[in-house]
Amino acid sequence: KETENILKERYKIVVGIDTKYQVNDEKVIKYFYKENGGVSSAINYGLKKASGEYINFLADDDLLLPEKIELQVSFFKKNEKNWGNLGVVYSGYLIMEKGVIIDRIKPKYRGNVFRQLLYDNLSSAHSLLVKAECFNKVGFFDETLFFREDWDMLIILSKHYEFDYVDDYLALYRVFGGNKSLNISKAEKYEIIVLDRYWDQIKEPDLLKDKNIVYSAHFRSLAYQALVNEDHENFKRLLVKALKYNPRIAILIPEKGIEKKEDLLLEVYESYEKAKSPTYKVDKKFSASFFIKLGWVYFHNKKFKDFRRLIRKGLLINIREISSIVIFYYFLSFWPLNLFIDIIKKLITKTKREKIDEKLS
């Protein structure tokens, strides 16, 4: 299917392939066979064979819209003068599973995108169109990386060139069974290798102060990938790592069923407590807020007994979080004031009584 779309383009394509697939239309596509040496090795082989003005990457399970390259080349020619050194034009892309579009990723950043790339990749590799001359300056893909090699190259390119985008969805990324074959440990290893590599080069104070936030965001993202793969052990482990870097992060567990969310949250919290973070005094406030936020999920599902139970858990960790409950009430004008006051009284009273019992025991 991807070959059919390429054949509809008006531009000659050079493809480096490390599989046994054959392509017969040599008027448009030049085919080169290469032994499997990893993704970076295959891309570098294709780059060395390429002779055109632009480079577009395409894996065998992804798709390009027929007009993609033409629109991006036209964008380059029309907008190049607006930038000092435009090297990459990308686009939005669609995520497809079993023939159904399940997500749409819009392009957001243009210009100097180095800072944004430290947080995460901007787009899928096949949504990019890159000037071939860029690789003469920055070199080829790192063949020691067996994951996140595209993100690594984008960071390198962003240090030398400006980025812009076509505000449209011009590529499709296909997932199969939630991409459950993803090796989380391998993903974690190479993602942190890339992040460490460039973080050590940063000198700007305003970027350096964001280190914990950036690393936390990466571990949280990896944790959610583990959860999609139903790998709860790695989910908990990676989320605890994310919390160590930044205890202020919001934990949103995309599981079905509130009780399952609560069980996972409790396990994460217990693991975090065992880790004995040196920032525990700060953590208490945010650990309490996790349970209070989950309590409000129960409230909106009209499970008031569980709502009260979770609010109490949060207040037992940090009684000062009572202020957050008052703030929540401010936005819940439909909740009768007498009910609110009654619940707060019971919460406070029970919390104090339990504290006295603990001292007497």
Side-chain angles (χ1 to χ4, degrees):
K1 183 68 178 180
E2 66 272 15
T3 304
E4 292 173 6
N5 282 356
I6 287 172
L7 293 173
K8 293 176 184 177
E9 289 280 4
R10 300 192 314 165
Y11 298 89
K12 179 173 281 192
I13 310 296
V14 178
V15 185
I17 303 177
D18 66 353
T19 69
K20 61 184 179 181
Y21 298 133
Q22 299 292 325
V23 180
N24 298 320
D25 196 329
E26 293 188 1
K27 293 179 182 178
V28 178
I29 294 178
K30 288 185 180 179
Y31 170 77
F32 300 95
Y33 176 79
K34 181 188 178 302
E35 292 292 337
N36 189 354
V39 174
S40 293
S41 175
I43 293 173
N44 288 341
Y45 186 80
L47 287 173
K48 291 170 186 176
K49 294 291 185 181
S51 58
E53 188 178 351
Y54 302 99
I55 302 292
N56 196 114
F57 307 106
L58 181 62
D60 60 1
D61 53 355
D62 296 323
L63 302 172
L64 305 180
L65 269 66
E67 65 274 16
K68 176 190 184 291
I69 296 174
E70 185 174 356
L71 285 173
Q72 288 179 314
V73 168
S74 175
F75 188 92
F76 254 117
K77 296 185 182 303
K78 289 179 181 177
N79 295 280
E80 200 166 7
K81 61 180 179 295
N82 299 328
W83 297 104
N85 201 15
L86 183 62
V88 180
V89 171
Y90 66 107
S91 73
Y93 64 98
L94 305 172
I95 300 178
M96 176 187 289
E97 184 173 16
K98 296 179 181 179
V100 178
I101 303 300
I102 60 173
D103 204 357
R104 291 171 167 79
I105 309 300
K106 285 181 66 67
K108 294 190 289 185
Y109 302 106
R110 48 168 50 106
N112 183 342
V113 297
F114 176 74
R115 188 187 202 113
Q116 285 77 24
L117 279 166
L118 288 177
Y119 281 88
D120 200 4
N121 209 337
L122 289 182
S123 192
S124 183
H126 66 307
S127 79
L128 310 171
L129 192 69
V130 186
K131 273 190 171 181
E133 66 185 51
C134 294
F135 297 101
N136 297 331
K137 184 169 185 176
V138 305
F140 296 128
F141 283 68
D142 184 348
E143 295 187 18
T144 67
L145 295 175
F146 294 93
F147 185 78
R148 294 294 250 166
E149 66 288 328
D150 54 338
W151 179 44
D152 176 67
M153 177 53 73
L154 281 183
I155 293 174
I156 297 172
L157 287 167
S158 73
K159 294 173 71 176
H160 299 277
Y161 297 96
E162 291 162 319
F163 286 48
D164 206 339
Y165 59 80
V166 175
D167 193 10
D168 202 352
Y169 303 107
L170 300 179
L172 290 94
Y173 176 79
R174 294 193 286 187
V175 297
F176 301 92
N179 281 1
K180 291 184 179 179
S181 61
L182 177 66
N183 184 317
I184 292 296
S185 297
K186 179 180 175 182
E188 178 186 1
K189 173 185 174 181
Y190 288 105
E191 188 152 335
I192 299 307
I193 284 175
V194 172
L195 197 55
D196 285 345
R197 175 183 295 174
Y198 297 105
W199 204 270
D200 290 343
Q201 300 173 17
I202 294 172
K203 306 297 181 186
E204 298 88 342
D206 63 325
L207 268 177
L208 286 171
K209 67 180 176 60
D210 285 344
K211 179 177 180 178
N212 285 352
I213 296 172
V214 171
Y215 276 73
S216 178
H218 281 275
F219 282 115
R220 182 174 60 170
S221 176
L222 286 164
Y224 289 151
Q225 289 178 53
L227 190 60
V228 169
N229 295 353
E230 299 178 1
D231 182 354
H232 287 184
E233 288 307 310
N234 270 321
F235 166 74
K236 289 181 285 184
R237 179 182 63 81
L238 290 163
L239 200 50
V240 168
K241 278 192 173 184
L243 286 165
K244 283 183 180 180
Y245 275 103
N246 181 17
R248 295 171 181 258
I249 61 170
I251 298 180
L252 304 172
I253 302 180
E255 283 281 353
K256 293 180 180 178
I258 307 173
E259 291 80 7
K260 197 168 184 179
K261 289 178 190 283
E262 183 183 349
D263 289 343
L264 273 175
L265 185 60
L266 281 168
E267 290 173 18
V268 169
Y269 175 67
E270 287 168 3
S271 298
Y272 186 47
E273 291 287 279
K274 288 176 183 176
K276 295 182 179 178
S277 169
T279 57
Y280 180 68
K281 287 185 179 178
V282 177
D283 299 344
K284 283 181 68 174
K285 176 179 179 182
F286 297 102
S287 297
S289 72
F290 298 152
F291 291 99
I292 289 171
K293 287 174 185 175
L294 189 60
W296 286 100
V297 174
Y298 278 113
F299 177 84
H300 289 294
N301 283 272
K302 298 182 179 179
K303 296 189 174 185
F304 300 114
K305 184 177 178 181
D306 288 310
F307 159 71
R308 201 174 105 179
R309 178 175 57 81
L310 266 294
I311 296 295
R312 282 188 57 251
K313 276 188 179 180
L315 293 178
L316 282 170
I317 296 169
N318 186 9
I319 189 64
R320 292 182 181 180
E321 282 299 288
I322 194 77
S323 60
S324 67
I325 303 173
V326 175
I327 292 170
F328 269 121
Y329 171 69
Y330 180 79
F331 296 100
L332 291 172
S333 56
F334 61 86
W335 196 11
L337 181 60
N338 60 336
L339 175 61
F340 174 78
I341 293 172
D342 181 57
I343 289 178
I344 293 299
K345 282 181 178 178
K346 288 178 181 177
L347 286 170
I348 294 173
T349 303
K350 202 160 189 179
T351 301
K352 285 181 177 178
R353 187 173 68 242
E354 288 184 359
K355 285 185 175 181
I356 291 168
D357 290 341
E358 286 174 7
K359 289 182 180 179
L360 294 173
S361 62

